[in-house]
Amino acid sequence: MKLYLDVIFLLNIWFDFLLLLSVSMLLKRYTKIKRIFLGALTGGITFFFLFLNLSSFSLFFFKVIVSILMILVTFSYKDFKYTLTNLGYFYLTSIILGGGMYLLSDIFSYNNHGLLFYKNGFQTNYIVLLIVSPIILFFYIKKNLKVQENYQHYHKVEFLYKGKLYHLTGYLDTGNHLKDPYKKRGIILVNTKLKYNLEEIIYTPYNALNYDGILKCLKVDKLYVDKKEFKNYLIGISNLKFQIDGIDCILHSSMKGII
Protein backbone atom coordinates (compact mmCIF):
# COMPACT_ATOMS: atom_id res chain seq x y z
CA MET A 1 0.00 0.00 0.00
CA LYS A 2 1.28 3.45 -0.90
CA LEU A 3 1.11 6.18 1.72
CA TYR A 4 1.05 9.75 0.45
CA LEU A 5 2.63 11.89 3.14
CA ASP A 6 0.91 15.10 2.05
CA VAL A 7 -2.49 13.37 2.29
CA ILE A 8 -1.64 11.99 5.74
CA PHE A 9 -0.61 15.46 6.86
CA LEU A 10 -3.91 16.98 5.65
CA LEU A 11 -5.94 14.16 7.19
CA ASN A 12 -4.18 14.73 10.49
CA ILE A 13 -5.10 18.42 10.42
CA TRP A 14 -8.69 17.55 9.42
CA PHE A 15 -8.92 15.10 12.30
CA ASP A 16 -7.60 17.66 14.83
CA PHE A 17 -9.90 20.36 13.43
CA LEU A 18 -12.95 18.16 14.00
CA LEU A 19 -11.87 17.34 17.55
CA LEU A 20 -11.25 20.99 18.49
CA LEU A 21 -14.50 22.08 16.88
CA SER A 22 -16.34 19.40 18.86
CA VAL A 23 -14.79 20.60 22.13
CA SER A 24 -15.79 24.18 21.32
CA MET A 25 -19.39 23.12 20.65
CA LEU A 26 -19.68 20.82 23.67
CA LEU A 27 -18.30 23.36 26.14
CA LYS A 28 -19.87 26.36 24.36
CA ARG A 29 -16.54 28.16 24.02
CA TYR A 30 -17.70 30.12 20.95
CA THR A 31 -14.20 29.99 19.52
CA LYS A 32 -13.55 31.53 16.11
CA ILE A 33 -12.96 29.10 13.26
CA LYS A 34 -9.55 30.60 12.49
CA ARG A 35 -8.35 29.82 16.02
CA ILE A 36 -9.61 26.26 15.69
CA PHE A 37 -7.77 25.99 12.39
CA LEU A 38 -4.57 27.34 13.98
CA GLY A 39 -4.93 24.77 16.76
CA ALA A 40 -5.32 22.03 14.16
CA LEU A 41 -2.19 23.26 12.37
CA THR A 42 -0.34 23.08 15.67
CA GLY A 43 -1.48 19.48 15.97
CA GLY A 44 0.10 18.86 12.57
CA ILE A 45 3.44 18.87 14.35
CA THR A 46 2.81 15.24 15.32
CA PHE A 47 3.11 14.36 11.63
CA PHE A 48 6.87 14.92 11.83
CA PHE A 49 7.13 12.35 14.63
CA LEU A 50 6.84 9.75 11.88
CA PHE A 51 10.39 10.57 10.86
CA LEU A 52 11.89 10.40 14.36
CA ASN A 53 13.17 7.29 16.05
CA LEU A 54 11.37 7.69 19.37
CA SER A 55 10.48 5.25 22.10
CA SER A 56 6.82 4.69 22.93
CA PHE A 57 7.16 6.73 26.12
CA SER A 58 8.87 9.64 24.36
CA LEU A 59 6.27 9.61 21.60
CA PHE A 60 3.45 9.66 24.16
CA PHE A 61 5.12 12.51 26.07
CA PHE A 62 5.55 14.64 22.95
CA LYS A 63 1.96 14.02 21.88
CA VAL A 64 0.70 15.19 25.27
CA ILE A 65 2.79 18.36 24.98
CA VAL A 66 1.46 19.02 21.47
CA SER A 67 -2.15 18.47 22.58
CA ILE A 68 -1.68 21.01 25.38
CA LEU A 69 -0.27 23.49 22.86
CA MET A 70 -3.28 22.86 20.61
CA ILE A 71 -5.66 23.64 23.45
CA LEU A 72 -3.79 26.82 24.39
CA VAL A 73 -3.65 28.05 20.80
CA THR A 74 -7.34 27.34 20.23
CA PHE A 75 -8.91 28.41 23.51
CA SER A 76 -6.13 30.49 25.11
CA TYR A 77 -5.40 30.30 28.84
CA LYS A 78 -7.82 31.68 31.42
CA ASP A 79 -7.06 29.49 34.41
CA PHE A 80 -5.88 25.97 35.17
CA LYS A 81 -9.38 24.47 35.55
CA TYR A 82 -10.54 26.00 32.25
CA THR A 83 -7.54 24.58 30.39
CA LEU A 84 -7.79 21.18 32.09
CA THR A 85 -11.49 20.92 31.16
CA ASN A 86 -10.73 21.73 27.53
CA LEU A 87 -7.93 19.17 27.47
CA GLY A 88 -10.08 16.50 29.12
CA TYR A 89 -12.89 16.93 26.59
CA PHE A 90 -10.33 16.89 23.77
CA TYR A 91 -9.07 13.47 24.88
CA LEU A 92 -12.60 12.20 25.51
CA THR A 93 -13.72 13.24 22.04
CA SER A 94 -10.59 11.64 20.57
CA ILE A 95 -11.49 8.36 22.26
CA ILE A 96 -15.07 8.55 20.95
CA LEU A 97 -13.97 9.21 17.38
CA GLY A 98 -11.12 6.70 17.49
CA GLY A 99 -13.42 4.05 18.96
CA GLY A 100 -16.02 4.72 16.28
CA MET A 101 -13.44 4.38 13.55
CA TYR A 102 -12.12 1.11 14.98
CA LEU A 103 -15.68 -0.21 15.21
CA LEU A 104 -16.24 0.56 11.54
CA SER A 105 -12.93 -1.06 10.63
CA ASP A 106 -14.00 -4.21 12.41
CA ILE A 107 -17.49 -4.28 10.85
CA PHE A 108 -16.30 -3.68 7.31
CA SER A 109 -13.02 -5.61 7.67
CA TYR A 110 -10.73 -2.63 7.07
CA ASN A 111 -7.03 -2.90 7.63
CA ASN A 112 -5.49 -0.19 9.71
CA HIS A 113 -2.20 1.46 10.42
CA GLY A 114 -2.71 3.56 13.54
CA LEU A 115 -5.78 5.66 12.80
CA LEU A 116 -5.43 5.13 9.07
CA PHE A 117 -8.00 2.68 7.78
CA TYR A 118 -7.92 1.24 4.29
CA LYS A 119 -9.53 -1.38 2.09
CA ASN A 120 -8.62 -1.90 -1.53
CA GLY A 121 -6.37 1.10 -1.49
CA PHE A 122 -5.70 4.25 0.47
CA GLN A 123 -8.46 6.21 -1.25
CA THR A 124 -11.11 4.37 0.75
CA ASN A 125 -9.50 5.48 3.99
CA TYR A 126 -9.48 9.05 2.72
CA ILE A 127 -13.23 8.88 2.14
CA VAL A 128 -13.85 7.30 5.55
CA LEU A 129 -12.00 10.03 7.42
CA LEU A 130 -13.55 12.88 5.44
CA ILE A 131 -17.14 11.67 5.54
CA VAL A 132 -17.63 9.19 8.36
CA SER A 133 -15.68 10.98 11.10
CA PRO A 134 -17.87 14.15 11.02
CA ILE A 135 -20.97 11.94 11.18
CA ILE A 136 -19.65 10.13 14.26
CA LEU A 137 -18.88 13.43 15.99
CA PHE A 138 -22.21 14.93 14.94
CA PHE A 139 -24.20 12.22 16.72
CA TYR A 140 -21.85 12.34 19.72
CA ILE A 141 -22.25 16.11 20.09
CA LYS A 142 -26.01 15.93 19.57
CA LYS A 143 -26.40 13.25 22.22
CA ASN A 144 -24.02 14.95 24.65
CA LEU A 145 -25.78 18.33 24.38
CA LYS A 146 -29.13 16.63 24.91
CA VAL A 147 -27.82 14.93 28.04
CA GLN A 148 -26.40 18.23 29.32
CA GLU A 149 -29.74 19.95 28.73
CA ASN A 150 -31.70 17.21 30.46
CA TYR A 151 -29.46 16.95 33.51
CA GLN A 152 -28.62 20.58 34.18
CA HIS A 153 -31.66 20.83 36.46
CA TYR A 154 -30.55 17.88 38.62
CA HIS A 155 -29.25 18.77 42.08
CA LYS A 156 -27.91 17.00 45.13
CA VAL A 157 -30.39 17.28 48.00
CA GLU A 158 -29.74 16.45 51.65
CA PHE A 159 -31.98 17.00 54.64
CA LEU A 160 -31.78 16.09 58.30
CA TYR A 161 -34.90 14.76 59.94
CA LYS A 162 -35.09 13.12 63.36
CA GLY A 163 -31.32 12.68 63.45
CA LYS A 164 -31.21 10.86 60.11
CA LEU A 165 -29.56 12.41 57.05
CA TYR A 166 -31.34 11.68 53.76
CA HIS A 167 -29.49 11.86 50.45
CA LEU A 168 -31.70 12.51 47.41
CA THR A 169 -31.51 13.55 43.79
CA GLY A 170 -33.66 16.61 43.18
CA TYR A 171 -35.02 18.23 40.06
CA LEU A 172 -35.64 21.95 39.85
CA ASP A 173 -39.15 22.27 38.45
CA THR A 174 -40.16 25.84 37.66
CA GLY A 175 -43.77 24.61 37.71
CA ASN A 176 -43.68 23.78 41.43
CA HIS A 177 -45.12 26.86 43.16
CA LEU A 178 -46.61 25.04 46.15
CA LYS A 179 -46.56 26.98 49.41
CA ASP A 180 -48.22 26.45 52.72
CA PRO A 181 -50.96 29.06 53.25
CA TYR A 182 -49.87 29.88 56.79
CA LYS A 183 -46.25 31.00 56.61
CA LYS A 184 -45.79 30.94 52.80
CA ARG A 185 -43.04 28.34 52.98
CA GLY A 186 -42.05 26.64 49.74
CA ILE A 187 -42.79 22.92 49.50
CA ILE A 188 -40.36 20.34 48.14
CA LEU A 189 -42.13 17.20 46.94
CA VAL A 190 -40.45 13.98 48.09
CA ASN A 191 -41.49 10.40 47.37
CA THR A 192 -39.03 8.70 49.71
CA LYS A 193 -40.31 6.88 52.79
CA LEU A 194 -40.13 8.90 56.00
CA LYS A 195 -41.04 7.75 59.50
CA TYR A 196 -43.17 10.38 61.20
CA ASN A 197 -45.89 10.86 63.76
CA LEU A 198 -49.28 12.22 62.83
CA GLU A 199 -48.77 15.07 65.31
CA GLU A 200 -45.84 16.32 63.24
CA ILE A 201 -47.75 16.67 59.96
CA ILE A 202 -48.59 20.07 58.55
CA TYR A 203 -51.64 19.63 56.33
CA THR A 204 -51.42 21.91 53.30
CA PRO A 205 -54.18 22.38 50.72
CA TYR A 206 -53.04 22.47 47.10
CA ASN A 207 -54.42 23.01 43.63
CA ALA A 208 -52.58 21.67 40.58
CA LEU A 209 -53.87 21.01 37.07
CA ASN A 210 -57.48 21.33 38.24
CA TYR A 211 -56.92 18.88 41.08
CA ASP A 212 -57.52 19.89 44.69
CA GLY A 213 -56.26 18.03 47.69
CA ILE A 214 -54.47 18.03 51.02
CA LEU A 215 -50.72 17.44 51.10
CA LYS A 216 -48.92 16.04 54.13
CA CYS A 217 -45.84 18.16 54.88
CA LEU A 218 -43.02 17.95 57.39
CA LYS A 219 -40.59 20.51 58.74
CA VAL A 220 -37.03 19.16 58.61
CA ASP A 221 -34.15 20.18 60.84
CA LYS A 222 -31.70 21.00 58.07
CA LEU A 223 -32.02 21.26 54.29
CA TYR A 224 -29.12 21.44 51.83
CA VAL A 225 -29.22 21.70 48.04
CA ASP A 226 -25.80 21.38 46.40
CA LYS A 227 -24.23 21.92 49.85
CA LYS A 228 -26.09 25.25 50.22
CA GLU A 229 -28.36 25.51 53.25
CA PHE A 230 -32.00 26.54 52.80
CA LYS A 231 -34.50 27.53 55.45
CA ASN A 232 -38.27 28.07 55.52
CA TYR A 233 -39.05 25.11 53.28
CA LEU A 234 -41.31 22.14 53.97
CA ILE A 235 -41.03 18.57 52.72
CA GLY A 236 -44.23 17.45 51.02
CA ILE A 237 -44.80 13.68 51.06
CA SER A 238 -45.87 12.40 47.67
CA ASN A 239 -47.09 8.86 47.06
CA LEU A 240 -46.73 9.22 43.30
CA LYS A 241 -43.63 8.08 41.44
CA PHE A 242 -42.04 10.95 39.56
CA GLN A 243 -41.82 10.47 35.80
CA ILE A 244 -38.40 12.14 35.51
CA ASP A 245 -35.48 9.72 35.29
CA GLY A 246 -33.65 9.02 38.54
CA ILE A 247 -35.06 11.76 40.79
CA ASP A 248 -36.39 11.47 44.35
CA CYS A 249 -37.77 14.96 44.87
CA ILE A 250 -39.00 18.02 43.03
CA LEU A 251 -37.52 21.31 44.21
CA HIS A 252 -39.43 24.56 44.57
CA SER A 253 -39.39 27.15 41.79
CA SER A 254 -38.16 29.84 44.20
CA MET A 255 -34.76 28.12 44.26
CA LYS A 256 -34.14 29.01 40.62
CA GLY A 257 -31.20 31.40 40.33
CA ILE A 258 -29.94 30.41 43.78
CA ILE A 259 -28.68 26.90 43.09
Side-chain angles (χ1 to χ4, degrees):
M1 181 191 69
K2 293 182 179 179
L3 293 179
Y4 299 94
L5 296 181
D6 55 342
V7 175
I8 297 176
F9 179 68
L10 292 175
L11 286 175
N12 189 51
I13 293 176
W14 170 246
F15 187 80
D16 290 334
F17 179 84
L18 288 176
L19 294 176
L20 292 170
L21 179 63
S22 299
V23 173
S24 180
M25 295 176 67
L26 287 169
L27 298 180
K28 298 182 179 179
R29 298 308 191 198
Y30 306 108
T31 309
K32 294 181 179 179
I33 293 297
K34 65 179 182 180
R35 291 200 62 132
I36 297 176
F37 181 69
L38 287 174
L41 283 177
T42 304
I45 296 173
T46 56
F47 169 76
F48 299 102
F49 293 161
L50 295 173
F51 306 101
L52 299 178
N53 186 18
L54 298 174
S55 65
S56 298
F57 176 79
S58 299
L59 184 61
F60 172 78
F61 176 77
F62 280 117
K63 286 186 175 181
V64 170
I65 296 298
V66 172
S67 63
I68 294 174
L69 288 175
M70 291 170 62
I71 293 299
L72 293 176
V73 169
T74 305
F75 304 108
S76 71
Y77 180 86
K78 293 184 179 180
D79 54 53
F80 180 76
K81 182 179 179 180
Y82 173 84
T83 302
L84 189 62
T85 300
N86 293 335
L87 187 63
Y89 266 79
F90 177 77
Y91 286 139
L92 178 62
T93 307
S94 301
I95 292 171
I96 295 297
L97 182 55
M101 298 297 291
Y102 274 108
L103 176 63
L104 288 176
S105 71
D106 183 65
I107 293 175
F108 296 105
S109 299
Y110 281 91
N111 296 316
N112 73 283
H113 183 75
L115 278 177
L116 297 176
F117 301 87
Y118 57 92
K119 183 179 182 181
N120 298 325
F122 184 68
Q123 186 177 2
T124 304
N125 173 56
Y126 182 82
I127 296 174
V128 168
L129 278 180
L130 287 180
I131 299 178
V132 179
S133 55
I135 294 175
I136 294 174
L137 290 178
F138 170 77
F139 284 106
Y140 168 64
I141 293 170
K142 183 179 179 181
K143 184 66 177 179
N144 195 286
L145 291 177
K146 184 177 180 180
V147 169
Q148 288 181 18
E149 182 180 356
N150 289 342
Y151 285 88
Q152 65 180 339
H153 300 298
Y154 282 58
H155 299 275
K156 181 180 180 181
V157 179
E158 298 172 301
F159 65 83
L160 183 66
Y161 180 67
K162 285 189 174 182
K164 182 177 180 179
L165 185 63
Y166 293 83
H167 303 271
L168 308 175
T169 300
Y171 184 84
L172 181 57
D173 186 0
T174 55
N176 178 14
H177 303 293
L178 293 175
K179 289 185 178 182
D180 78 284
Y182 315 109
K183 297 184 180 180
K184 305 300 180 183
R185 292 168 291 188
I187 298 175
I188 298 173
L189 296 175
V190 173
N191 66 1
T192 189
K193 293 182 179 180
L194 298 173
K195 294 181 179 181
Y196 57 87
N197 297 321
L198 293 177
E199 296 80 11
E200 301 169 340
I201 295 177
I202 301 173
Y203 292 96
T204 303
Y206 72 90
N207 180 282
L209 297 176
N210 299 321
Y211 287 95
D212 297 320
I214 300 295
L215 185 66
K216 296 178 181 179
C217 297
L218 298 172
K219 183 179 180 181
V220 298
D221 302 316
K222 296 285 185 180
L223 172 65
Y224 301 93
V225 180
D226 293 342
K227 300 298 183 179
K228 184 178 294 186
E229 185 174 3
F230 285 83
K231 297 181 179 180
N232 298 320
Y233 283 90
L234 298 177
I235 296 297
I237 302 172
S238 174
N239 295 320
L240 299 176
K241 184 178 180 180
F242 301 132
Q243 298 302 312
I244 305 173
D245 177 48
I247 72 164
D248 308 297
C249 62
I250 296 180
L251 301 173
H252 196 264
S253 58
S254 62
M255 293 179 172
K256 184 179 181 181
I258 303 177
I259 55 178

